[in-house]
Structures are given as C-alpha cells and as structure tokens.
Amino acid sequence: MSATDGGRDPLTGEAPQAVLDEARRWWQTDIIDIHPGEIALRGYPIQELIGNVGFVDTIWLMLRGELPTRAQAALLEAALVASVDHGPQAPSIAIARMATTCGVPVNGAMASAINVLDDIHGGPGEQCMELYLEVDAELEGGGDLDEAARLVVQRHRDAGVRYLPGFGHRFHPLDPRKHPLLALVDDATADGVVTGRFAAIGRAVETAINVGRSKPIPMNVDGVTAVIYCELGFTPQHGRGVFILARSVGILAHTVEQLAQGGRIKGPVPKSIGYTYTGPARRPVPHEREP
Amino acid sequence: MSATDGGRDPLTGEAPQAVLDEARRWWQTDIIDIHPGEIALRGYPIQELIGNVGFVDTIWLMLRGELPTRAQAALLEAALVASVDHGPQAPSIAIARMATTCGVPVNGAMASAINVLDDIHGGPGEQCMELYLEVDAELEGGGDLDEAARLVVQRHRDAGVRYLPGFGHRFHPLDPRKHPLLALVDDATADGVVTGRFAAIGRAVETAINVGRSKPIPMNVDGVTAVIYCELGFTPQHGRGVFILARSVGILAHTVEQLAQGGRIKGPVPKSIGYTYTGPARRPVPHEREP
Amino acid sequence: MSATDGGRDPLTGEAPQAVLDEARRWWQTDIIDIHPGEIALRGYPIQELIGNVGFVDTIWLMLRGELPTRAQAALLEAALVASVDHGPQAPSIAIARMATTCGVPVNGAMASAINVLDDIHGGPGEQCMELYLEVDAELEGGGDLDEAARLVVQRHRDAGVRYLPGFGHRFHPLDPRKHPLLALVDDATADGVVTGRFAAIGRAVETAINVGRSKPIPMNVDGVTAVIYCELGFTPQHGRGVFILARSVGILAHTVEQLAQGGRIKGPVPKSIGYTYTGPARRPVPHEREP
Amino acid sequence: MSATDGGRDPLTGEAPQAVLDEARRWWQTDIIDIHPGEIALRGYPIQELIGNVGFVDTIWLMLRGELPTRAQAALLEAALVASVDHGPQAPSIAIARMATTCGVPVNGAMASAINVLDDIHGGPGEQCMELYLEVDAELEGGGDLDEAARLVVQRHRDAGVRYLPGFGHRFHPLDPRKHPLLALVDDATADGVVTGRFAAIGRAVETAINVGRSKPIPMNVDGVTAVIYCELGFTPQHGRGVFILARSVGILAHTVEQLAQGGRIKGPVPKSIGYTYTGPARRPVPHEREP
C-alpha cells in the first residue's frame, strides 16, 4: 500500500493526509509563530520588538497577548523588583546553593529551587489573589466592601484557615515592601491607570483580619503584590508565575555566588551541628524471618 | 554540663559560643541582608529600590553588586527580550506543556523545563562567551584580531568540534535576532557605553568560520547575545543564567496557555503517530533460571 | 563576651549551649543514625543488612520501620515489577528522553521526568487507595460491602468525578497487569499473609462502577496495586512514592537508551509535523504607546 | 489538495504516507512494546514477569535487555541495599525534606533531590568505574596490574585530581559498607559468577593510592559498588543511574517522614543560627544615574 494510490494509512485506516493534519494540531499555540528566518511573538516580528519594547513589556505581552501601557508596565515592574529575594534562609535559595555544591549546573540548581515554590513557599500570592477575587465576587451587584471582606475572612476562618495568605509575616512585624508598593498603586489609581478596586479590597481584608486584635497582622509582600496583579488584570496562576520569574533572579544570584565560594556537597548545617537521631537503638538483623 | 558553667559543648568539645559562631558562618552572602522590618539588596534598602529602579537594573544589581547605567541596562534588556521563546518544538517548552497536563503546578512545570536548559539546549551562549574570551586572551599583548580568531576556530575544529557555539542555526538560514541586536551594540559602542571589542571579536570569528564556504554559517542569537554579555562584563556562567531568566518567560507563557487548553497526560505525539518498537519479539519468561 | 564567662549568645540572648542544643534538634529522623565508621538503618547496622536482606525488604524497612516477612515482600515486589514502564508515549518517559538530548545528565533527566508524576500522571494509585480507605471507613461498625462501595462511588460521581482513579484505561480495554496481580493477592489471602479486605473492596468498587454499563470499566494497574498497598498497610502517600520508585526504573532505562541513540535538542515531534500557530497575524510594534 | 488524489503533503511536498512513516520513527525503543491489552518488556509479556521475576531482576532486564542469573541479581541487590541512604546531612536528603515543607508533593520533593545527584554528589561511583576501566584498558595485551594501577593513579594526580573517586571518606575513617560488599564479590568470584578482575583492579588502585601514606585512604562505598557494577558488566552511566535508584529509597523515606513531622517553609538552619551577611553596608539608592 502506498500513499500515492489513494490508500489508507495501514495503522489508523484513515487517509494519510488526514492523520498528518490531525498530528499537526497536537500542539497549538497563540504565542509564537516561527518560520525559517522569521520569529513573531503574539504577531509582532521579533526584530521590531528588540530595542523597542522592554523586558517587562515582553513578559506582559507573552502572558497577556497585548503590550501594556508604560504605566501598567511600571506597576508590574515594581512588584517584580520587590520580589527578587528573601535570603538564604528561604528553602528555595538554600536549595539552589546546596545543589551548586553537588556539581549541578546553573540550570539544574535553578530548577531544583524553583520546583519548591509550591503552594506553601510560592503560593500565598496566588492564594491571596483568589481571596481578593472572592471578595470582589461577593460585591457583584453592589453591597458593602467592609461587610464583604468581613464575611470572606470569617468564611476562611470557619473553614479552619489559621493564616490568611498575604497577611502577617513570621519574620517582619511590618513588611518593608508593603507601603512603597501600596503607594505606587494609589498613585496609579489617581492617574487612572488602575481602578483602585483591589487596593480597597486588600485594605478591607486587612481591617477585617485585625478587628479586635492588639498585635496587628499587616498586609505582607504577597498581599500587596496580589493587589497589583489583580489591579492589572492578571489571573492567580499568572500571579504565581510572575512571582517565580522575580524570585528566579535571587535564585540565580545565590547560585552564582555559591559557585564562586566553592564548597563540595555542602549540607544544610555544619557537621558541628548535625542532626538528632530519634529512632530505635542498635539491633541485630534477625537470622530467621517469617516466610 | 551547662553553658553557664563555662563548660565545653559535649559533642564537639569546643566552647559552645565558638561552635555557634562557626555555625553562623556556614551560609554567607554579599547579596542580601535581612532584619525584622528590613531588607537590603547589595546594601540598598528595598523600599528605596521599589519604584526607583527597573527590573533589569535589579537583575544586574543582584548579579553584579552595583547598579548599571541606563545605557548598560538597555543593552541587557534587548538581549533578554530577544531570548524569551523559540516555540513548542524546543524541548524546554514542550516539557513545560507536557508537565502541565500531568497535574504539575506552574512552579513544577517551569522547573522540569528549566532543568533541561543544560549544555546543549541552554549552553551555547555560555560556550560562545568562552570562545570569545579565548580569542580575547589570544590577543593579550597585541596581535591581529583576524589571525587570533582564525587560530581559535582552527583549534576547536582540530579538537573535533563540528558546530561552533553561537554560529549557524538548524532552522533559520539567518537568525532574525542577529542584526537588530548587533546594531544596538554598534550604537552603544559609538556612544561609548561599551568598547565594541567583543562585537569585533564576534565578527572576526564569523569570518574565520566562513572562509572557503559557499553556504554561510552566520552568527545566531547565542553568538550575538554572547557579544552583548561579554561587552557588558558578564561571566559565561552569568550568561547561561541570564538566558534562563529570559527563556523562563516563554516557559511560563506556554505553561499558562496549556493550563487553559486543558489536556490530560498529553504525550509528545498523538496516538495516531505513536512510536516504533525495535526490540526483541515476544518470548516467554524462562521457567528455570541459572542460580 | 565569651562562652567561658557564662555569657549569653549576643544574637539570641540565650545561653550558647541552649541555642546549640536547639539547633541540633532542627533536623530529626528515626530512619538513619550515622557515626564515623557506623551506619544504621532503623537500628540495623548496614553491614548486617548487606547480603542478608533484599532491596524490596530495604524499601519496606526504610518506609515502615520494620522488616517485612518474605511473603509481604513478595507481594510488594510483584506490584513494583508491574509498574516499571508504560512506554515513550507517557509524558514522564518522553521528558526523560528529551532532556537527555539537551545535555542533561542521568540524574537531571530522571528528575525532570519524576517531577511530572504528579496528581494526574502519578496520583491515581494514591487516589485509588484513598477511595478504598473511604469504603473501608464506611464499613466501620459493620454494614454491607457492596452497599458501601455503591454509596462511595455515587458520592464521587455526585461530586462531579468522571473517571474514578484505578478503573478504566484510555489505551487498554483490559489492563494485562490486573489479573496476575489480583491472583497473587488472592493467594496471599489464602495463605493468611493479608486479610483480603481490600481485594474485596476493590472488586466491590469495580462492580459498583459497572452497574448498568454495557462497555465495562475494569480495574487497571493503579486499582490493583492500590489493593496491594492497602492490604500491606501502606499509606496513600507511600503508594505514590512506591510507584515512583518503580517507574524510575523505566525512566532510567529510556534515559540510557536515548543516550546511546544520540540526538540533540530533540523536540516532541519531527519538524515535518511541527505545531499549529493559532495566534494573531503579523502586526507592527506600535511606535507610540500610551504612557 | 487531498490525500486521496495521490497528492503531496502541502507542508513538506512529500507523499503524506512517507511523512507519516517517518514521524512514527521519531521515537524508537528496544525496551517496551505496547498494544491494547498487551505490554511486553524486552519481549517478555508483563503478565509472565509479574510474580515470576524479582524487582532487581526487572531493573537488570530493563537496563541490559536480558534477565540476570540469580547470583548476578544477588550481587546487584547487595549494592543497592548498601546505597539507600546517608542521612539528612547529605544535600539530596535535606533538599527532599525542605521541599516537603514548601508544599511540594512526593514526586516533586524526590525530583528536586534526585536532581542534585550530579557529578559531585552522585558521580563518584560512575567516575570510579571509569577509573577502573582505565586500568583495565591499560592492561589490554598483558602487563602488571599493580604497575597499571600505579600509572593510572599517577596520571590523575598529574592532572591535578586531589581526591580519586571511590577512595577516602570525609566522615568515615573506614566505610562500614566496604568489607561486606567486597566479601560478596570474592564469594561470587569463587563461585564463578564474576571474574574478580575488577575486585583485583580496585584493590590495586587502593594500594597505589596508599603508597607512602601513614593515614590510609581506604576504598569507600562508591569504590566497592563500582567494583560490583564493573564485574557485572554495567556501563558507568548505568552505575550512576543504579545508584540513583537506590538513593531514591532514602529520599522517599525522608520525604514521608518530613510530611509526618510537618513544618512549613523550613530553612536549612534554625532562625537562631541564621546566616552571615558579608556585603556592603546600607547605602542610599542614587537619585541620578548615568544615562
């Protein structure tokens, strides 16, 4: 059987061209189109993008499909700058450094590190966006913002949530990234760049959380970047992804620094500290075992 | 034994404070300093960086220790924009998409993908920087650039290298990213932002590679971004890392798009294509095996 | 201030020995105890384990704390053998092969692949164990097995679950691993090695799923290994982990085979197939953008 | 244009069936053949393997293409048992535990950990196999074993290698895994299961390394498992892979233990230890920057 006799594909019994056409639809994308000598991102020829749009513009274009205004890009940029690093006590950074001492190349150290930016270490920003969107949905068709925030906070507490994502920090009594970022959102609101709706929601949630508390639980970096990402129309999944792009910068910087410092198979703590064994005392392997 | 009787640590036999002080030096960094309510990157308080410096400035600061000039940042930015994506045929992008259909979250899909940006898929830029630096070293104390390039190219060919990193492309006869990026380097050279030494080296290597060839092997995106990173004083390791930061944008965009498309446990090719089995025919498991 | 004057640690204000003792409790384990010249796993000196217990015994010991009987180990072993591979159409295997062509070493290729054995690709066995345990819990204090299975199946269907984990296969009308594994469980039940409770539960769930269907949805490899892991007292988390140990064998075999085959930056499909671009047509980058 | 008019594929200009046939050869494997209702590993139907061959037999079959004898499998098994864990000070184990506290599922924690079993942390066994094979090659056509070992050791020292892979241990003066494994190799040699050639080579290398030393550098677990893998005919790449399979057991056990212990975003060291900042003192962000 051959293709030129108008035959059927022996494996599928279909016309070969139909099988081929279907196979070509296996991977589909709106993002990039490539032909020999040609690359276009979201329709824009790469040679026109280079030198004309910024890196943050390109992040936005790739994720959203269109270019941002300069003011939108500036707000996203501030959130990215704020999120690049939180030091070698963070598991992601420590993992990158340890991986490097195991002979892992830069890409591998970054991969092992980025991989742990999961629900607990990389998820609170995304989860806080969902929280704000929940308040936003509560307000559909009108209603009082403070009441909606109070209701949503109560709902999460009733569900057993102890720490609402985006609020409180186990290290910083007041996260130094909160006020400068919130100020930029307020400026952008005044300029009509964003509506300010999510800044208001974030503040209402903060108020609801702190009712009746003597020791405050202020908005943290996740809570304020969640405001920004929501204001700019990103989805929660985007939120986690954009945080990862930012934190990758810190991960890379620590990887390169550890490479320069050297060290081989560097464990988490020095040998002088070690770890505590809490298992059974020495015992012999039984000579006879049950069959 | 207790710490207050001036005793020794029972495990190490050292003074406890000395053991403690040594343990605190286990992890060291020049990059970030954190105290409750305070974060400083390379000495700059985070609240002053936010809104005042760009994301590309921050990448530079984190990797190099100092802020770049605006012109330096602009050149780095162009290289980043040029490198964000090369489509779903690239294994890194395909892996991110496949991972997403396996239930892996955004961080995990990005990790599995970034992990493969190793020597072959993510290394040519770094390797091309090393090639340029080899020509640069050859020129120390004077000498002819074209001759040095010719000599280095010959050395690699004699060592059995078939494809010099940074030149030629299996898909693009002419990489559309080459000329716009090279033009930006030339402008920056004219403005005194960079010396132009590595643009000259890159061009000399390109000439040396193409001597006697009818079908040209032009500089590709790795070759021209390697020029930029060398001009800006980055190390080859930085080069690979910065490429990864850029390509992470494409990886994230395709991850989010695949999430939207859905699909479960999506293999590389459709079932109608499948794969070819080339192993032994069916055979029975032997009842008796040699002891 | 020094440790020998009975001073306080300048950083924490605590006695240095107390800080040190607390630091030693940061990492704790029941699994392994190591001293110079000594390694003990769950209390057993490594030199006594070597040559006296098998690899499957050691897997059990490491996860469960005690050695299994030979019959328990044999049942676990059969489940492991059954799970090593399902071919290059599985994303995990394809990823390992693609990673290899990117220059990633064996460890990295295995990591990128294992990483995708997440909820959808690696989770059904674990989820099926949870399903069986749900039926088991339903039966506490007596009750009819078939009724309990029917009730649990209905509960999941009411919750919108379309495919119950462990049943049906998009490729195999009947999974060839089902009957031989189930036969081994029945033999082990007859021999008093296991109770047979979860084999009965699995069959009852299968019956409940198939009521009123003309085209059967039989138990698959996840459903039958879930029976085995439940019978042997493993937790669902163990279940996913043990599956990963098994599938790692296939991942490694395909990695090594791809290394032998060669190939560089091998995309998911050949160039002749490529992918379909579904995004916007070519358009110029706007010269002016909103500020 | 359609397939049934004997036309050409519009994209490639080839006959559609020819394009399809070529696409089916994109992924090829000797390892596994799958059809609806059928799975065969290296030609053996899976239903015959289950219950009849062991897990270690299957590892061998998958990697080597044929089943081992029982004695070969027993020797491989001992090497696997010896390699499952070396405690939470090993970066791989620590990374799995830290990842778990970040919300990463079992597969992801294992991936981040396995990924760091690279040249330094997972490579010495493979490298030691290469060293033994280098001595073996030196002996081709006859020659003295001790002299060949001395020569190869000297060659590596001349090349600047300070620690030969497989010898010496920074923690154990004598690795407790050495003698029991070597005794098993000697027994297998006496029984004709292996030739004993690589045990002799390993011992000769050990002797060559220790000439003129007062403090001995004995063979370690990598050195003795390298003897076993070479005796059994595995390649160095197999060696690294098989080590990873074994260490995955420890990685999984520690992952599951950490899940049970709980902990959120657990850094490498407790807060009371922290890290040392060695970078620039606080400084203001410059108001004006060079253009």
Side-chain angles (χ1 to χ4, degrees), chain A residues 141-191:
Chain A
D144 180 61
L145 171 58
D146 289 328
E147 179 55 23
R150 204 197 52 72
L151 199 138
V152 168
V153 166
Q154 195 55 47
R155 190 183 297 150
H156 283 259
R157 284 194 176 145
D158 291 348
V161 176
R162 219 174 127 194
Y163 302 107
L164 280 157
F167 296 87
H169 202 288
R170 57 184 193 166
F171 190 81
H172 300 297
L174 175 62
D175 191 317
R177 296 161 291 192
K178 177 193 170 186
H179 285 305
L181 286 174
L182 217 42
L184 292 174
V185 178
D186 290 341
D187 290 352
T189 305
D191 293 347

Side-chain angles (χ1 to χ4, degrees), chain A residues 214-280:
Chain A
S214 54
K215 198 184 156 201
I217 302 182
M219 193 184 282
N220 63 26
V221 70
D222 295 314
V224 65
T225 52
V227 165
I228 293 177
Y229 299 142
C230 282
E231 290 283 357
L232 294 174
F234 285 92
T235 66
Q237 284 167 346
H238 282 139
R240 187 185 300 199
V242 167
F243 165 71
I244 293 170
L245 291 182
R247 186 55 53 94
S248 298
V249 176
I251 288 169
L252 172 59
H254 285 275
T255 298
V256 172
E257 188 183 58
Q258 187 65 51
L259 272 166
Q261 286 179 11
R264 290 168 64 87
I265 315 189
K266 196 164 180 173
V269 285
K271 259 193 260 188
S272 60
I273 299 290
Y275 67 93
T276 301
Y277 175 65
T278 49

Side-chain angles (χ1 to χ4, degrees), chain C:
Chain C
M1 188 185 300
S2 90
T4 50
D5 67 359
R8 298 273 144 183
D9 171 35
L11 208 78
T12 61
E14 307 286 324
Q17 186 69 51
V19 180
L20 211 48
D21 290 347
E22 199 216 331
R24 286 187 178 130
R25 286 189 295 269
W26 188 246
W27 295 111
Q28 297 192 17
T29 184
D30 281 1
I31 299 170
I32 184 166
D33 192 23
I34 295 181
H35 296 278
E38 256 190 74
I39 300 170
L41 303 181
R42 302 285 191 180
Y44 296 122
I46 192 78
Q47 65 272 20
E48 291 190 36
L49 291 168
I50 293 169
N52 289 320
V53 308
F55 186 44
V56 176
D57 297 323
T58 306
I59 293 172
W60 184 296
L61 173 67
M62 291 290 285
L63 295 179
R64 307 285 294 273
E66 299 298 331
L67 286 163
T69 65
R70 290 187 197 285
Q72 288 171 325
L75 202 51
L76 173 58
E77 184 143 36
L80 289 164
V81 168
S83 308
V84 292
D85 196 8
H86 202 259
Q89 276 291 86
S92 50
I93 300 294
I95 286 172
R97 300 189 76 119
M98 288 161 71
T100 299
T101 70
C102 296
V104 176
V106 170
N107 52 301
M110 291 179 75
S112 272
I114 287 169
N115 204 32
V116 306
L117 297 175
D118 212 297
D119 284 0
I120 300 178
H121 190 21
E126 178 184 2
Q127 293 148 14
C128 185
M129 290 177 75
E130 282 159 3
L131 185 74
Y132 293 164
L133 291 167
E134 194 179 335
V135 177
D136 188 51
E138 201 66 46
L139 285 167
E140 254 178 49
D144 180 62
L145 171 57
D146 289 328
E147 179 55 24
R150 203 197 53 73
L151 198 138
V152 168
V153 167
Q154 194 55 48
R155 190 182 297 149
H156 283 259
R157 284 193 176 148
D158 291 349
V161 176
R162 217 172 131 196
Y163 303 107
L164 280 157
F167 296 87
H169 201 288
R170 56 184 193 165
F171 190 80
H172 300 297
L174 174 63
D175 191 317
R177 296 161 290 192
K178 177 193 171 187
H179 286 304
L181 286 174
L182 217 42
L184 292 174
V185 178
D186 291 341
D187 290 352
T189 305
D191 294 345
V193 176
V194 296
T195 66
R197 181 179 184 82
F198 288 94
I201 289 176
R203 283 175 169 124
V205 170
E206 191 179 38
T207 301
I209 286 172
N210 283 285
V211 164
R213 291 189 56 87
S214 54
K215 198 183 156 204
I217 303 181
M219 194 183 282
N220 63 26
V221 70
D222 295 315
V224 64
T225 52
V227 164
I228 292 178
Y229 299 142
C230 284
E231 290 282 356
L232 294 174
F234 285 92
T235 66
Q237 283 167 346
H238 283 139
R240 187 184 301 198
V242 167
F243 165 70
I244 293 170
L245 291 182
R247 186 56 52 93
S248 297
V249 176
I251 289 169
L252 172 58
H254 284 275
T255 298
V256 171
E257 187 182 59
Q258 187 65 51
L259 272 166
Q261 286 179 13
R264 291 168 64 87
I265 315 189
K266 196 165 178 172
V269 285
K271 256 193 262 188
S272 60
I273 299 291
Y275 66 93
T276 300
Y277 174 65
T278 49
R282 291 292 181 283
R283 49 181 177 168
V285 173
H287 283 109
E288 302 285 309
R289 270 196 293 151
E290 263 188 81

Side-chain angles (χ1 to χ4, degrees), chain B residues 24 27 29-30 32 38 42-43 48 57 65-66 68 70-71 115 272 275-276 278 282-283 285 289-291, chain D residues 24 27 29-30 38 42-43 48 57 65-66 68 70-71 115 272 275-276 278 282-283 285 289-291:
Chain B
R24 287 190 177 126
W27 295 111
T29 182
D30 281 2
I32 184 165
E38 254 191 73
R42 303 286 192 180
E48 291 190 37
D57 296 324
E66 298 298 332
R70 292 188 194 283
N115 204 31
S272 60
Y275 67 93
T276 301
T278 48
R282 290 294 179 285
R283 50 182 177 167
V285 173
R289 270 196 294 152
E290 263 189 80
Chain D
R24 287 188 177 128
W27 296 110
T29 182
D30 280 2
E38 256 197 283
R42 302 286 192 180
E48 291 191 36
D57 296 324
E66 297 298 332
R70 291 189 195 284
N115 204 31
S272 60
Y275 67 93
T276 301
T278 48
R282 290 293 180 285
R283 49 182 177 167
V285 173
R289 271 196 294 152
E290 261 188 82

Side-chain angles (χ1 to χ4, degrees), chain D residues 85-101:
Chain D
D85 196 8
H86 202 260
Q89 276 289 87
S92 51
I93 300 294
I95 286 171
R97 300 190 76 119
M98 289 162 71
T100 298
T101 71

Side-chain angles (χ1 to χ4, degrees), chain B residues 261-287:
Chain B
Q261 287 180 11
R264 291 168 63 88
I265 317 189
K266 196 165 179 174
V269 286
K271 257 193 261 189
S272 60
I273 299 291
Y275 67 93
T276 301
Y277 174 65
T278 48
R282 290 294 179 285
R283 50 182 177 167
V285 173
H287 284 109

